[in-house]
Amino acid sequence: MLHYVYLINRFQLHNKSNEVMEELRKVSEELGRDYEFVVSDTPEEAHKALEGFRDKDYVITAVGGDGSINHVLNAIVGTRNILAFIPHGTGNDFCRTCMESMENGIHEVDLIRVNDRFCINVACFGIDADIANDDTFIHSRWIPRTMRFNAGVIGHFLRYKRGRRLRVESNGEIRE
């Protein structure tokens, strides 16, 4: 029997963490699943907590947004764990792309390595990546959630003067 681990991103869910956990508890018990919750407030906490699940066959479920999925992916890459997700973010871009082509609840993905980090299906470079990695906007408690990315676009557009160099290695070919 598979063991399910629900990684709850408390920062992403805000005050809905308990409500979401209760719903997951109810559904898991109805389905007879062996499960547990791992609750984190930061990506670092989540990554550290998932280290204990590396040597087993678990279904690790990211409950949050695209960032939560990315952190779970990087914590379990190279293991026999299965990545699952329950979208609870502001954009949920990955979920939307999966739903278009999902068959029987399973979607094959491309695992992309950029330096020492992994991503699924898409890797962002340039201003989009800078915005996503800028805690000033994306994790600001002062900017409404629905406006954070937009605020980041404006903020970075006004100060975006740095050039970018990129080197891509694929199938033995190098492009710069």
Side-chain angles (χ1 to χ4, degrees):
M1 176 189 331
L2 287 173
H3 182 78
Y4 290 77
V5 177
Y6 299 109
L7 181 67
I8 306 295
N9 179 339
R10 194 172 14 223
F11 180 81
Q12 188 75 42
L13 297 175
H14 293 281
N15 57 356
K16 294 182 180 179
S17 298
N18 290 336
E19 179 183 324
V20 169
M21 287 183 359
E22 187 54 41
E23 187 66 27
L24 287 170
R25 181 178 289 110
K26 187 169 69 173
V27 169
S28 294
E29 289 174 4
E30 286 174 11
L31 294 172
R33 287 184 175 167
D34 181 29
Y35 69 95
E36 67 184 279
F37 294 105
V38 172
V39 180
S40 69
D41 289 309
T42 66
E44 294 78 22
E45 280 181 22
H47 196 85
K48 186 172 180 164
L50 289 174
E51 288 176 4
F53 300 102
R54 292 190 60 80
D55 298 328
K56 304 205 168 87
D57 294 335
Y58 290 140
V59 177
I60 309 290
T61 304
V63 182
D66 293 337
S68 297
I69 294 169
N70 184 265
H71 290 296
V72 170
L73 168 71
N74 278 278
I76 70 170
V77 73
T79 70
R80 296 185 333 206
N81 291 315
I82 297 168
L83 172 65
F85 62 92
I86 297 173
H88 245 287
T90 52
N92 298 315
D93 296 325
F94 181 68
C95 176
R96 282 198 307 270
T97 61
C98 285
M99 296 312 245
E100 294 172 4
S101 59
M102 192 174 290
E103 192 173 307
N104 298 324
I106 297 173
H107 181 47
E108 289 190 20
V109 296
D110 293 316
L111 185 63
I112 303 165
R113 190 177 94 191
V114 178
N115 296 326
D116 294 330
R117 297 277 303 162
F118 291 87
C119 55
I120 301 174
N121 290 357
V122 176
C124 296
F125 299 95
I127 193 168
D128 190 44
D130 286 346
I131 294 164
N133 289 320
D134 188 345
D135 287 341
T136 307
F137 297 102
I138 298 302
H139 293 128
S140 171
R141 295 185 189 273
W142 307 109
I143 302 171
R145 290 172 63 117
T146 57
M147 296 303 298
R148 290 177 187 168
F149 189 82
N150 298 338
V153 168
I154 293 167
H156 280 268
F157 180 76
L158 293 174
R159 66 177 192 244
Y160 202 74
K161 296 178 182 173
R162 300 175 292 210
R164 293 286 187 258
R165 297 192 46 80
L166 177 66
R167 177 186 167 143
V168 177
E169 268 183 60
S170 178
N171 299 326
E173 226 180 287
I174 298 174
R175 292 187 182 193
E176 293 205 28

